[in-house]
């Protein structure tokens, strides 16, 4: 059995928004872990809708995160 690294589909636009929950599900990592990475300023950059809404990142940030191997 070979392990295949996660890859973002080529047809995903870099400007596409991924909600926090979608990001966690995509990288198969518990939300608690990703919240800790965020607190430690690791992982992708996050933004909030209207400055105080739900957390989101972009597909470009997801690609950068995966490429960096964080």
């Amino acid at each position: 059995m070979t392990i295949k690294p996660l890859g973002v589909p080529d047809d995903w636009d870099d400007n596409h928004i991924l909600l926090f929950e979608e990001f966690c599900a995509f990288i198969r990592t518990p939300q608690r872990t990703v919240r800790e990475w965020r607190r430690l300023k690791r992982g992708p950059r996050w933004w909030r809708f209207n400055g105080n809404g739900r957390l989101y990142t972009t597909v470009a940030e997801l690609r950068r995160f995966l490429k960096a191997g964080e």
Side-chain angles (χ1 to χ4, degrees):
M1 179 174 156
T2 58
I3 297 174
K4 184 178 176 186
L6 288 175
V8 180
D10 292 334
D11 62 338
W12 284 19
D13 185 322
D14 279 349
N15 296 315
H16 179 80
I17 288 175
L18 287 173
L19 296 175
F20 178 81
E21 297 82 4
E22 294 171 325
F23 175 86
C24 295
F26 186 86
I27 66 166
R28 300 180 193 125
T29 304
Q31 290 181 17
R32 179 177 62 210
T33 300
V34 178
R35 281 191 184 95
E36 181 66 8
W37 292 347
R38 182 170 178 260
R39 187 183 72 76
L40 296 171
K41 304 219 186 291
R42 296 184 183 161
R45 284 174 270 184
W46 296 96
W47 296 272
R48 289 191 180 273
F49 289 105
N50 298 323
N52 61 3
R54 294 180 68 186
L55 280 174
Y56 71 93
T57 192
T58 63
V59 170
E61 277 296 304
L62 172 61
R63 285 190 172 110
R64 185 196 62 76
F65 171 76
L66 293 174
K67 185 177 180 182
E70 295 183 68

